[in-house]
């Protein structure tokens, strides 16, 4: 890891679709440009369609080292034409996520669908389990993640998420502000609580 900038690589989770608003792709590209401007590498899901394509093309054009990790069965679905960066083909989705996490020093989640949310929450759960303590953030384009923020607050209020995790995610609308927030953020310490059969 680069001691001066804290990060070597930032992993970006995002959709292989572009969504209905052009702002999603614009902000994805702005994030890729900002990652490159700061001298970081990009780790992403390996596709060149949708927001994955937008962030990876911008990072690559800006001179960033780009690492794309994709399972072989998804290559035909998420790659159309020329690939972007260094593409590593793995066998399964589990291997993809593990490899992305291994390469990353921080995580940013853009808008996306089921797969994007699954990646986000699995990586969050790894913090709770003490597997890693890398900072995580949401790029909240056009308020996309406002409903999720409300849901997380509700889960905390209802006692399903410990209060110490209420600021686990850095949430910003601007890519530069988000990366600054990640640089200054410390993940909460984990305290694994095993639920007994009596409590389940």
């Amino acid at each position: 890891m680069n001691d001066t900038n804290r990060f070597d690589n930032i992993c970006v989770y995002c959709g292989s679709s572009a969504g209905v608003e052009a702002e999603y792709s614009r902000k994805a590209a702005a994030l890729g440009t900002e990652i490159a401007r700061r001298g970081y590498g990009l780790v992403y899901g390996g596709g060149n369609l949708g927001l994955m394509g937008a962030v990876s093309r911008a990072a690559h054009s800006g001179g960033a080292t780009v690492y794309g990790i994709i399972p072989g069965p998804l290559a035909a679905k998420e790659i159309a034409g020329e690939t972007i960066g260094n593409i590593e083909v793995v066998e399964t989705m589990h291997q993809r996520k593990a490899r992305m996490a291994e390469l990353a020093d921080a995580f940013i989640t853009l808008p996306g669908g089921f797969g994007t949310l699954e990646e986000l929450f699995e990586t969050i759960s790894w913090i709770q389990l003490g597997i890693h303590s890398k900072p995580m953030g949401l790029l909240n384009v056009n308020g996309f993640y406002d409903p999720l923020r409300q849901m997380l607050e509700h889960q905390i209020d209802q006692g399903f998420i410990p209060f110490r995790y209420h600021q686990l995610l850095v949430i910003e609308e601007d890519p530069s502000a988000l990366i600054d927030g990640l640089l200054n953020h410390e993940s909460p310490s984990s305290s694994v609580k095993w639920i007994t059969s009596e409590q389940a």
Side-chain angles (χ1 to χ4, degrees):
M1 185 183 296
N2 186 323
D3 291 334
T4 302
N5 295 326
R6 189 177 176 191
F7 307 142
D8 285 333
N9 300 312
I10 295 178
C11 175
V12 175
Y13 298 137
C14 59
S16 58
S17 298
V20 299
E21 300 289 342
E23 185 67 6
Y24 296 140
S25 291
R26 282 196 290 267
K27 280 293 177 70
L31 175 61
T33 298
E34 185 66 14
I35 287 171
R37 187 187 73 79
R38 292 178 182 242
Y40 304 142
L42 168 71
V43 179
Y44 79 114
N48 63 2
L49 302 176
L51 301 192
M52 276 200 275
V55 68
S56 59
R57 279 191 295 272
H60 190 262
S61 295
T65 301
V66 175
Y67 304 94
I69 315 298
I70 191 166
L74 281 184
K77 181 179 180 181
E78 294 186 354
I79 296 178
E82 185 178 356
T83 57
I84 302 166
N86 305 297
I87 302 299
E88 182 177 333
V89 179
V90 295
E91 294 182 2
T92 68
M93 290 294 290
H94 294 294
Q95 290 174 343
R96 177 199 225 179
K97 290 180 289 185
R99 181 63 174 148
M100 291 169 75
E102 178 185 3
L103 291 170
D105 301 306
F107 302 88
I108 291 174
T109 302
L110 288 165
F114 289 131
T116 301
L117 291 177
E118 190 270 339
E119 290 170 327
L120 168 66
F121 282 115
E122 182 165 17
T123 310
I124 289 174
S125 71
W126 290 345
I127 292 178
Q128 191 173 21
L129 294 172
I131 295 172
H132 77 87
S133 58
K134 300 172 183 179
M136 299 186 62
L138 297 177
L139 189 60
N140 194 24
V141 183
N142 284 0
F144 182 85
Y145 281 115
D146 287 349
L148 177 61
R149 297 174 73 174
Q150 294 172 3
M151 184 64 203
L152 293 173
E153 290 170 2
H154 181 62
Q155 288 174 284
I156 290 171
D157 289 342
Q158 296 304 307
F160 290 100
I161 297 176
F163 180 77
R164 66 178 175 278
Y165 293 114
H166 78 289
Q167 291 184 330
L168 186 151
L169 291 169
V170 178
I171 304 174
E172 296 285 354
E173 299 177 7
D174 174 73
S176 181
L178 179 55
I179 294 176
D180 285 343
L182 292 174
L183 286 167
N184 295 309
H185 188 260
E186 295 294 336
S187 294
S189 60
S190 64
S191 178
V192 178
K193 176 184 176 183
W194 300 106
I195 299 176
T196 66
S197 58
E198 290 79 12
Q199 295 170 307

